[in-house]
Amino acid sequence: MDEMTRRRAALEILDRLGVVNYMVGNYAEASRHFLNVLNESIRLGEESFTASSIHNYVKSVILGNADCADYPRYLESISGWSLYDSLRYYSSINDSANLGKVRLLMAVLLIGVGRFDEAYKIINDGDGGEVHKFLKELLELFLGKRDFVSADYVSMRLAMLGNLVNQLIQLLKLGSDRSLGKVINRELRSVVYEILTCRLPKLLLIL
């Protein structure tokens, strides 16, 4: 085969290696393959691979990390392409399935850095089913548009997460005149906030 055909075939193999490692939970190895796909697809001008590989790379990296401290860097350009570019690319070709995946990932990242308004706009512009609905209600909670989230979902996992969110919010609302309320408001507020803005949204990426 000619050189270009060989490089495209290699790109396909690298991408499949990334997918296999991701499926078995080997996120570090998956992210390494997806980053190689990203860099090579940019060199080849393969926008479809570029748009998907940056999504797969960022998703693998953050699922493999314990916290959300590195979120800002993944909202920026990586090797000349960003998730915003993927959003525009999938919008231009009306690929609703991949568009929904990128919207979800971007919203999770934006929540992690406290950019709730932007996250709400991104997730509200599309219709990604129950997971998007859950994240939209969570954002409305952060923005003061609601006092609780729905726990009425077909997905049992989402229903359980909805109940968890509401319980955490109730803990934070305990009156400061109560001893337990004082402890929670003083000692656990930051912990609850970290769960609601980092760990819980990240869970949505694997549902």
Side-chain angles (χ1 to χ4, degrees):
M1 62 180 70
D2 61 67
E3 178 65 12
M4 184 58 70
T5 302
R6 185 194 66 78
R7 291 176 70 182
R8 284 175 176 156
L11 199 62
E12 292 265 10
I13 294 171
L14 282 173
D15 187 59
R16 292 291 173 248
L17 285 171
V19 171
V20 169
N21 278 279
Y22 175 87
M23 294 299 291
V24 297
N26 190 352
Y27 298 127
E29 188 68 9
S31 65
R32 185 175 71 82
H33 288 302
F34 288 136
L35 183 58
N36 287 333
V37 174
L38 174 63
N39 290 329
E40 179 66 2
S41 64
I42 288 174
R43 285 191 287 269
L44 294 177
E46 295 280 352
E47 288 193 333
S48 61
F49 269 109
T50 304
S52 64
S53 60
I54 192 171
H55 166 272
N56 294 337
Y57 168 66
V58 172
K59 185 177 178 180
S60 298
V61 169
I62 68 172
L63 286 176
N65 291 348
D67 57 29
C68 304
D70 55 352
Y71 276 17
R73 64 180 292 197
Y74 298 117
L75 286 164
E76 298 175 356
S77 175
I78 301 172
S79 301
W81 190 277
S82 71
L83 288 169
Y84 292 95
D85 294 320
S86 292
L87 197 66
R88 285 188 289 270
Y89 173 76
Y90 288 129
S91 295
S92 70
I93 62 173
N94 295 317
D95 186 340
S96 59
N98 281 314
L99 191 58
K101 293 177 183 178
V102 174
R103 287 188 193 280
L104 177 62
L105 178 59
M106 290 183 68
V108 168
L109 291 171
L110 290 165
I111 288 172
V113 298
R115 290 156 61 178
F116 302 140
D117 285 314
E118 187 177 351
Y120 185 78
K121 183 180 185 308
I122 283 176
I123 208 70
N124 195 43
D125 282 346
D127 181 16
E130 284 197 324
V131 174
H132 281 221
K133 177 188 173 186
F134 180 92
L135 197 56
K136 180 181 174 182
E137 291 196 0
L138 185 64
L139 280 160
E140 289 173 346
L141 185 69
F142 295 153
L143 293 169
K145 296 182 178 181
R146 61 169 58 237
D147 297 320
F148 60 89
V149 299
S150 172
D152 184 19
Y153 291 96
V154 173
S155 167
M156 182 63 68
R157 292 178 179 178
L158 284 177
M160 292 172 66
L161 287 177
N163 283 321
L164 173 62
V165 169
N166 292 331
Q167 289 169 4
L168 290 172
I169 294 301
Q170 288 305 310
L171 282 176
L172 291 178
K173 287 183 176 180
L174 285 178
S176 59
D177 57 325
R178 301 181 188 178
S179 58
L180 179 59
K182 289 180 181 179
V183 172
I184 289 173
N185 285 310
R186 184 177 66 251
E187 304 293 340
L188 297 183
R189 181 172 292 276
S190 62
V191 176
V192 172
Y193 186 81
E194 196 264 350
I195 291 172
L196 291 174
T197 61
C198 174
R199 298 185 184 277
L200 191 147
K202 192 184 292 191
L203 281 174
L204 299 179
L205 296 174
I206 57 176
L207 292 185

